[in-house]
Amino acid sequence: MRILHTSDWHLGRLFHGVHLTEDQAYVLEQVIDTAGSASPDVILVSGDVYDRAVPPGEAVSLLDVVLSRLVLGLKIPVIMIAGNHDAPDRRGFGSWLMKERGFHVAGPFSGSVKPVVLEDKAGQVCFYPLPFAEPAVMREKLGDPSLKDHDSAMRAAVSAIRDHHSPDARSVLLAHAFVVGGAESESERPLSVGGAGTVSA
């Protein structure tokens, strides 16, 4: 299966007081061009679609245009999850309406992760969209008071997925996490202290 993986669009970002919407539109135009020429079976957006919980209107409009061109224009399914910069409840708006058109979005973590099942010539692939969630949210939704940090919370969420997934089936996990060993860029703003927000590979 051909997968175009993206993340961290951070639409609505301000850089020293300057809106980056035009620059982001230019980059996303290249993503659309790549999707058109490469014809992936699915496009993944692994969190931080927006730069903040309440994005400016032009960022929302840009996302609407990009998703419309990908899903409605090119007929490519898109699977998107909320990241730590997104407001999960807002990201999940309209998800039931849009999935019939091929746009699947996981906003707030609900306690279970149902797969988006797509098919290619080799059969089914299960995509598990696991949105970013603070350990406190995971504790409540999974009913496990022992989940004290991001690593234990991620382990519990992945374990719950594995309990209902056939080991013989092809699968892809979408997650938004600070994975130990990954390289940080200078554009990332730290949201935790002393590695408390990291998860092991």
Side-chain angles (χ1 to χ4, degrees), residues 116-151:
V116 175
V117 181
L118 301 178
E119 293 197 26
D120 64 6
K121 290 181 284 189
Q124 293 185 338
V125 180
C126 296
F127 291 85
Y128 289 92
L130 175 59
F132 180 85
E134 294 292 340
V137 173
M138 295 276 205
R139 274 196 301 275
E140 176 193 344
K141 297 296 184 181
L142 294 174
D144 185 347
S146 72
L147 306 180
K148 303 294 185 193
D149 56 22
H150 287 269
D151 187 67

Side-chain angles (χ1 to χ4, degrees), residues 149-155 175-182 195-201:
D149 56 22
H150 287 269
D151 187 67
S152 60
M154 181 65 78
R155 286 179 189 277
H176 189 87
F178 294 97
V179 179
V180 174
T198 61
V199 301
S200 68

Side-chain angles (χ1 to χ4, degrees), residues 117-118 120 122-126 128 161-172:
V117 181
L118 301 178
D120 64 6
Q124 293 185 338
V125 180
C126 296
Y128 289 92
I161 289 170
R162 284 188 173 134
D163 287 344
H164 298 94
H165 177 73
S166 167
D168 298 326
R170 295 181 296 163
S171 60
V172 176

